[in-house]
Amino acid sequence: LLHQAISREDPKAAIAFNMEQDTKSLLEVDNPGREDYTSGHPKKLTDGPPFLPTNLDMVTSIEHTANGYIRHPSGGSSKVSLGHIFMPVSGTAWNKINSPVGWKDSTAQQWMSRVLAAGGAWTWNV
């Protein structure tokens, strides 16, 4: 119903749903035909900083595609979503402008560059 309501109001709207519940590292098409890009949420910050190796799996998920699009196992051209990562800048909280940066060295730049070079998308939460 949500997809229908959004599409009715704005047929060109890009849509993603966070159905992952912070349980997966590999990006997947959770809503075939209903999402334009993956929600790309990392593991919970209570489990550790955003540069955890388990979050790197999201980067490699996109790198293993032909063009940045993740395919649903059942196939079909309508069952693809742009590989997208939604990553916090902070290592301790979401939506906190004055929180300490949660990345070390050049890891953030390397990961984001890899995603973009593979045709995926990256959004920072500040």
Side-chain angles (χ1 to χ4, degrees):
L1 291 175
L2 185 56
H3 179 264
Q4 291 174 348
I6 293 169
S7 297
R8 185 174 49 246
E9 291 299 317
D10 185 353
K12 295 182 180 181
I15 303 170
F17 298 98
N18 182 14
M19 306 301 287
E20 298 176 20
Q21 304 297 319
D22 294 322
T23 59
K24 295 185 297 193
S25 294
L26 297 174
L27 297 177
E28 296 178 359
V29 178
D30 290 322
N31 299 281
R34 293 188 177 95
E35 66 182 15
D36 299 299
Y37 58 96
T38 61
S39 65
H41 266 264
K43 295 290 186 181
K44 295 178 182 179
L45 291 174
T46 54
D47 293 341
F51 55 84
L52 287 173
T54 54
N55 289 329
L56 178 60
D57 291 343
M58 293 191 298
V59 174
T60 58
S61 294
I62 296 170
E63 289 179 320
H64 287 127
T65 69
N67 58 3
Y69 283 83
I70 310 288
R71 298 200 173 282
H72 190 269
S74 67
S77 61
S78 68
K79 297 184 179 180
V80 298
S81 295
L82 178 63
H84 168 261
I85 296 176
F86 182 57
M87 195 65 76
V89 171
S90 171
T92 58
W94 288 88
N95 307 317
K96 301 286 186 184
I97 291 175
N98 293 324
S99 293
V101 173
W103 292 85
K104 61 179 182 177
D105 305 323
S106 59
T107 306
Q109 180 184 15
Q110 291 170 7
W111 285 18
M112 187 174 81
S113 295
R114 288 171 60 182
V115 166
L116 299 179
W122 187 288
T123 302
W124 287 107
N125 172 268
V126 288

